[in-house]
Amino acid sequence: MPGTLDVFARDVAISFDGAGTLKSWTAQVDMNRRRVNWLVTSTIETGFAIPSLASGSSIRKAALVDEQKTNLTIWDTREAQLEYEEFFKEAVQDLDWTSTPDNHCVTIILKAGPHGV
């Protein structure tokens, strides 16, 4: 069924536009037509015009770092709401997610400044 969304499907990508809209996506494979259909799972107005970094997790969270690289926000893409925000004195250079195999204890790892955090 093209265009139908399996609510249990995992988000596999995030996108961002210049107006500050974050979208998370899932993929639906159509084996008969040999193509992939992309379906939007959530849309969030973040207020970030140009993020410097963005990363999505397997449990429907998205982390964004602002253009100045000092403001980290974490968004719950399932509920379309801001979950966490922190400002750093030094620039955030990288971010990534980690978790246990059963998706517990998910944390964001960031590197800020020359020595990391």
Side-chain angles (χ1 to χ4, degrees):
M1 284 191 242
T4 61
L5 178 63
D6 176 358
V7 295
F8 297 105
R10 288 189 181 262
D11 292 348
V12 295
I14 58 174
S15 66
F16 206 86
D17 68 20
T21 304
L22 169 74
K23 291 184 180 182
S24 56
W25 302 81
T26 191
Q28 178 187 55
V29 178
D30 185 339
M31 296 301 284
N32 294 329
R33 294 184 179 158
R34 295 180 170 241
R35 70 178 194 190
V36 175
N37 297 313
W38 291 96
L39 305 171
V40 174
T41 57
S42 69
T43 301
I44 304 169
E45 300 302 326
T46 67
F48 280 35
I50 303 170
S52 61
L53 298 169
S55 180
S57 79
S58 61
I59 59 164
R60 295 192 170 154
K61 307 283 184 194
L64 300 175
V65 176
D66 71 339
E67 186 176 12
Q68 292 76 31
K69 298 185 178 183
T70 56
N71 183 7
L72 166 72
T73 56
I74 299 177
W75 299 84
D76 180 332
T77 60
R78 182 184 316 262
E79 301 296 326
Q81 65 185 16
L82 180 63
E83 191 169 90
Y84 179 81
E85 182 172 28
E86 186 165 342
F87 290 88
F88 294 91
K89 291 179 183 177
E90 300 199 39
V92 176
Q93 298 173 9
D94 193 16
L95 53 87
D96 201 359
W97 295 93
T98 186
S99 67
T100 62
D102 57 357
N103 287 332
H104 286 91
C105 301
V106 173
T107 57
I108 188 86
I109 299 172
L110 17 126
K111 181 179 178 189
H115 305 292
V117 171

